[in-house]
Amino acid sequence: METTNQLNTHSSVLPTCLSMRLSPVGLMKTLVAGLIVGAISVSANAANVISSTTYLEYQLPEKIQEMCTERENCPKIEVKYLKTNHPWINDITNARINNLVVNSKPTESAPIKTKSSPAEVQAAINDFANSQFLDMPEDRQWAYELIVTPNYLGHVGDAELFEIESYSYTGGAHGISYSEYLIFDPSSKKQIKLDDMLVTGKKSRFKTLAYNAYKTWVKTFDNDVSSYEKNWPFTLSDNVTLTDKGIDILYQPYAIGPYASGMPTLSIPYSQLNGVIKPRFIPK
């Protein structure tokens, strides 16, 4: 069954920056995710993107269905795929979703070497659902959750912006979250990475700017940056997106802070990025 759960026609949508996110989204063993919020900006050159999502057709294995129905704790499985009027964007995004489902330790920079087949996706979800009944005592009533959703965030200039967010719960105090950005170039029909946006030889400068943003973020809750950094050192993530103000760098839970820090976002304004990123990525 294919069900459209949202329809967004965006000619001018744009993500805003966040200093910290506390979204209860993620996947343990299979996926992890997060949530980003969109704001608006106009570009005459942006592609006309009509975006919706469709549900993966999935049914629990019969044995698991019988057990969880009796115990009233069936796993919640909700995997969605992107459906836009640009098939090449769908192909890249949905291949990434499948890759995240099949692989247990997703990272933003991990390339997709081979596309996961529908059978591999089905097997991975079956394993996730089955693990609930291997790990959980019979008297426990909580259920595993696995949710993954792509979102259209809008555009900056010619760049079309998307995000994949996911959440899973496998017991304990909370689930684990994961979120990654995707940037697409309609003219070349390719995904744009951080390195594609940087001027040659300027990655070290970009890292310095990101580190300065990290220190600014830390100071919002801890004046002793040096002490904080000993426990949660700075690293440069390539999980970036464009906003109306600059570049946002999104971090997964535990990357540069404890779980209570959520999904920190470091923001670098365009005023600092002249000569660092290519001019085409700076809004006019």
Side-chain angles (χ1 to χ4, degrees):
M1 178 182 66
E2 184 175 279
T3 305
T4 300
N5 83 306
Q6 69 175 34
L7 180 62
N8 298 318
T9 304
H10 294 268
S11 59
S12 58
V13 184
L14 189 67
T16 54
C17 59
L18 300 174
S19 62
M20 182 174 71
R21 302 197 308 176
L22 298 173
S23 176
V25 280
L27 164 63
M28 181 177 293
K29 300 181 181 177
T30 315
L31 304 156
V32 282
L35 174 65
I36 216 62
V37 180
I40 294 187
S41 176
V42 175
S43 169
N45 296 322
N48 180 22
V49 174
I50 301 174
S51 176
S52 64
T53 57
T54 61
Y55 285 88
L56 168 69
E57 294 183 2
Y58 174 79
Q59 289 186 339
L60 291 169
E62 185 176 347
K63 183 178 179 180
I64 294 177
Q65 183 71 55
E66 290 176 357
M67 284 193 298
C68 70
T69 299
E70 180 180 348
R71 301 179 189 181
E72 298 182 343
N73 63 346
C74 289
K76 179 180 179 180
I77 308 295
E78 190 176 283
V79 176
K80 299 178 186 176
Y81 291 112
L82 185 67
K83 184 178 181 180
T84 74
N85 55 333
H86 296 273
W88 65 275
I89 291 179
N90 301 339
D91 291 344
I92 295 173
T93 303
N94 294 335
R96 186 60 182 161
I97 289 172
N98 284 340
N99 185 264
L100 293 174
V101 171
V102 170
N103 293 283
S104 60
K105 295 181 179 180
T107 59
E108 299 96 342
S109 58
I112 299 176
K113 296 181 179 179
T114 58
K115 290 187 176 181
S116 301
S117 68
E120 290 172 319
V121 173
Q122 177 90 16
I125 299 176
N126 286 348
D127 287 345
F128 177 82
N130 187 57
S131 65
Q132 171 181 319
F133 298 95
L134 294 176
D135 301 339
M136 185 173 62
E138 290 188 17
D139 60 346
R140 297 289 176 88
Q141 293 302 309
W142 44 261
Y144 279 15
E145 292 184 44
L146 169 57
I147 302 170
V148 57
T149 304
N151 297 308
Y152 176 47
L153 302 180
H155 63 261
V156 172
D158 293 337
E160 295 294 343
L161 313 173
F162 290 79
E163 178 195 29
I164 299 172
E165 60 174 354
S166 63
Y167 169 77
S168 77
Y169 177 73
T170 56
H174 53 73
I176 295 180
S177 60
Y178 178 85
S179 179
E180 69 175 61
Y181 292 128
L182 303 173
I183 304 175
F184 296 112
D185 178 8
S187 61
S188 64
K189 295 187 177 181
K190 292 182 179 180
Q191 182 180 352
I192 300 170
K193 300 286 191 176
L194 173 61
D195 287 345
D196 299 323
M197 294 191 287
L198 293 173
V199 172
T200 302
K202 293 298 182 178
K203 189 161 189 175
S204 61
R205 176 57 182 163
F206 183 85
K207 185 174 182 179
T208 298
L209 294 172
Y211 178 57
N212 291 338
Y214 162 83
K215 290 187 289 184
T216 298
W217 171 71
V218 172
K219 288 178 182 177
T220 61
F221 55 87
D222 190 337
N223 290 325
D224 191 346
V225 176
S226 297
S227 177
Y228 179 88
E229 192 171 7
K230 290 178 182 178
N231 295 315
W232 300 100
F234 168 77
T235 59
L236 179 62
S237 170
D238 63 357
N239 191 18
V240 303
T241 196
L242 300 166
T243 77
D244 57 339
K245 297 179 177 64
I247 286 181
D248 278 359
I249 310 171
L250 177 64
Y251 288 83
Q252 311 304 335
Y254 300 111
I256 57 172
Y259 182 80
S261 296
M263 305 185 74
T265 298
L266 307 181
S267 300
I268 306 175
Y270 288 120
S271 60
Q272 298 178 12
L273 291 169
N274 284 310
V276 179
I277 64 172
K278 297 170 184 176
R280 61 169 293 204
F281 297 109
I282 297 179
K284 301 297 189 288

